[in-house]
Amino acid sequence: MDIPSRTSVCIIGGGPSGLLLSQLLHKRGIDNIVLEKHSRDHVLSRIRAGVLEHGFTELMREAGVSERMDAEGEIHDGFFIAHDGRMDRVDLKRFSGQSVMVYGQTEVTRDLYDARDAMGGIVIHEAADVQPHDIATGSPWVTWRKGDEIQRIDCDFIVGADGFHGVSRKSIPKDVLREYEKVYPFGWLGVLSRTKPVNEELIYANHERGFALCSLRSQVLSRYYIQVPLTDSVEDWSDEAFWEELRKRLPEDVAARLETGPSIEKSVAPLRSFVAEPMRYGNLFLAGDSAHIVPPTGARGLNTAASDIQYLYHGLVDHYLKGDSTGLEDYSAKALARVWKTQRFSWWLTSLLHRFPDTTDYDRNLQRTELEYLFSSDAAQTVVAENYVGLPY
């Protein structure tokens, strides 16, 4: 692969956010390069989100990578909340006029890789020790190590889409960066299995034993979660113990039709909320998990990253094709305004559905009352539906 000495946009991070931005820019004639520290196989092995907002699917279509998503993804017009021995449904289509798409993040990433390959996009894997330089100037540059060789590329802009532990956010001076964090006192134990989903739409369960979620990737691939203490590890949970505990947290009729099988992936994910401000410093822009994280409740993580990409993409297009830098100048404020709204929704849904270690009878009665109110009010369900399908960009 011939690597140029200069490009317009250097994207650090080859996950779905970085690849989507790369694809969108390339289609508009804006040259770019993607640096990813892991191998392609490693990136594709990550099991992550599976519910895509309306806005995300529209971005995939604009990027020209929606063919398989539209053919294989499942449109969901609602979801269920199981609580107090019954199941209530939030009708997304009725209350928001839109739906969500169930299509795994791994498949999104695979489609984006295929599109980058087809267009001859430059994606450098196993790029070690990536480091942005001179980000506060008009001439930033990035170095990385490939084997024993240090390589460099000059650029106009750097986009940090390299996740929470990446180098991009850490490159912003500490006296400039502000970080906000909330760590929840529990995690999610997730199991992926080649089994038929227990329900056609997602079921979020509020139960005295703890939260549970019945999700899916396809009609033959199911994804289930249960709330567990942060001290628990995968080794603490056999497949049999997981299925037994999941059944206890579901309504009896749902538990009775639950199809079980060997796990093909099992992991424990701690829950946290995190926001870094600003999302721009000089000519470095943060996007996705490098700037913000939400609990997986409500599936806002990847979708919020997509809204960052939407703003960045249009800002860069306006800059290069129209000579208008307003979108780039406003990027941080505009992105953060939406980020905090998704933080609010994820915090609210997490608080509504989980059992906290210090939950009192008063807290439980408030949860119960909130759920009763939600399903007695069209206005309340409209608020939930609008947030779940995705707030407008």
Side-chain angles (χ1 to χ4, degrees):
M1 179 189 298
D2 292 329
I3 301 172
S5 61
R6 178 174 179 81
T7 191
S8 295
V9 182
C10 180
I11 302 168
I12 304 175
S17 301
L19 293 172
L20 179 57
L21 179 60
S22 176
Q23 176 71 5
L24 287 162
L25 293 177
H26 198 154
K27 284 180 68 67
R28 298 300 297 270
I30 300 170
D31 58 296
N32 64 86
I33 186 172
V34 177
L35 302 174
E36 167 56 46
K37 70 177 181 179
H38 296 294
S39 68
R40 180 181 294 205
D41 286 344
H42 177 90
V43 175
L44 288 171
S45 70
R46 298 169 180 160
I47 305 297
R48 300 281 176 81
V51 178
L52 308 181
E53 290 179 359
H54 174 77
F56 187 101
T57 59
E58 288 300 303
L59 265 184
M60 290 285 284
R61 295 181 183 110
E62 186 171 354
V65 290
S66 66
E67 183 176 355
R68 196 161 69 95
M69 177 190 75
D70 287 329
E72 299 178 13
E74 295 193 10
I75 300 293
H76 282 201
D77 292 333
F79 66 88
F80 289 88
I81 295 180
H83 63 104
D84 303 304
R86 70 175 196 264
M87 289 231 298
D88 286 310
R89 183 173 184 265
V90 176
D91 190 329
L92 299 174
K93 194 73 171 178
R94 175 188 171 194
F95 290 111
S96 74
Q98 296 179 353
S99 305
V100 293
M101 173 83 75
V102 174
Y103 189 66
Q105 177 174 320
T106 302
E107 304 311 312
V108 168
T109 308
R110 194 183 311 279
D111 294 342
L112 287 164
Y113 270 137
D114 290 346
R116 295 285 63 227
D117 290 344
M119 293 185 69
I122 302 176
V123 181
I124 300 173
H125 287 92
E126 299 178 311
D129 302 329
V130 175
Q131 185 62 54
H133 302 271
D134 290 343
I135 58 176
T137 74
S139 303
W141 48 289
V142 179
T143 56
W144 71 97
R145 179 173 55 81
K146 190 76 171 178
D148 295 327
E149 183 182 355
I150 300 297
Q151 303 193 37
R152 166 177 173 159
I153 190 162
D154 294 270
C155 54
D156 299 326
F157 302 106
I158 301 170
V159 174
D162 50 345
F164 181 78
H165 297 289
V167 68
S168 297
R169 186 181 71 256
K170 298 172 185 175
S171 299
I172 298 176
K174 291 183 178 180
D175 61 343
V176 173
L177 191 69
R178 300 183 302 277
E179 297 181 338
Y180 307 88
E181 185 174 35
K182 178 179 178 61
V183 178
Y184 292 87
F186 42 73
W188 280 14
L189 171 64
V191 162
L192 189 69
S193 62
R194 297 194 187 282
T195 54
K196 182 180 179 179
V198 72
N199 199 60
E200 292 182 354
E201 295 179 333
L202 273 65
I203 301 174
Y204 295 84
N206 173 305
H207 193 272
E208 62 183 8
R209 298 181 66 90
F211 167 83
L213 170 60
C214 301
S215 186
L216 65 148
R217 294 294 178 267
S218 69
Q219 286 305 307
V220 294
L221 198 60
S222 299
R223 184 70 163 162
Y224 296 104
Y225 300 91
I226 57 173
Q227 174 187 343
V228 296
L230 286 174
T231 52
D232 282 14
S233 66
V234 168
E235 291 71 29
D236 296 324
W237 288 88
S238 66
D239 287 354
E240 292 74 17
F242 174 86
W243 294 121
E244 181 181 356
E245 183 60 32
L246 177 62
R247 283 195 185 94
K248 292 176 180 177
R249 302 186 188 188
L250 299 176
E252 289 184 5
D253 59 327
V254 177
R257 63 176 186 267
L258 179 67
E259 181 181 313
T260 66
S263 62
I264 57 177
E265 192 272 343
K266 187 189 296 180
S267 57
V268 175
L271 270 63
R272 68 159 52 139
S273 301
F274 174 84
V275 180
E277 299 182 356
M279 289 175 61
R280 177 186 184 178
Y281 177 74
N283 283 327
L284 168 68
F285 298 82
L286 302 181
D289 286 0
S290 67
H292 46 77
I293 292 174
V294 291
T297 328
R300 298 301 90 196
L302 176 60
N303 290 301
T304 307
S307 68
D308 298 343
I309 298 308
Q310 162 83 6
Y311 296 135
L312 262 182
Y313 163 53
H314 285 287
L316 289 165
V317 167
D318 287 349
H319 172 81
Y320 283 109
L321 303 187
K322 300 178 182 178
D324 181 359
S325 296
T326 304
L328 294 180
E329 293 165 1
D330 295 344
Y331 167 71
S332 183
K334 186 177 289 186
L336 282 167
R338 193 178 189 277
V339 163
W340 278 109
K341 291 183 178 71
T342 60
Q343 290 280 330
R344 184 208 68 82
F345 179 65
S346 295
W347 160 81
W348 174 81
L349 197 58
T350 301
S351 301
L352 178 68
L353 298 177
H354 290 76
R355 272 312 159 90
F356 288 72
D358 58 352
T359 293
T360 64
D361 290 342
Y362 178 87
D363 298 324
R364 177 63 192 120
N365 277 306
L366 279 184
Q367 276 190 336
R368 184 179 294 111
T369 302
E370 183 80 0
L371 285 162
E372 289 173 354
Y373 173 70
L374 172 62
F375 292 107
S376 69
S377 166
D378 285 359
Q381 289 178 74
T382 297
V383 170
V384 172
E386 287 179 347
N387 280 270
Y388 197 87
V389 302
L391 297 171
Y393 295 151

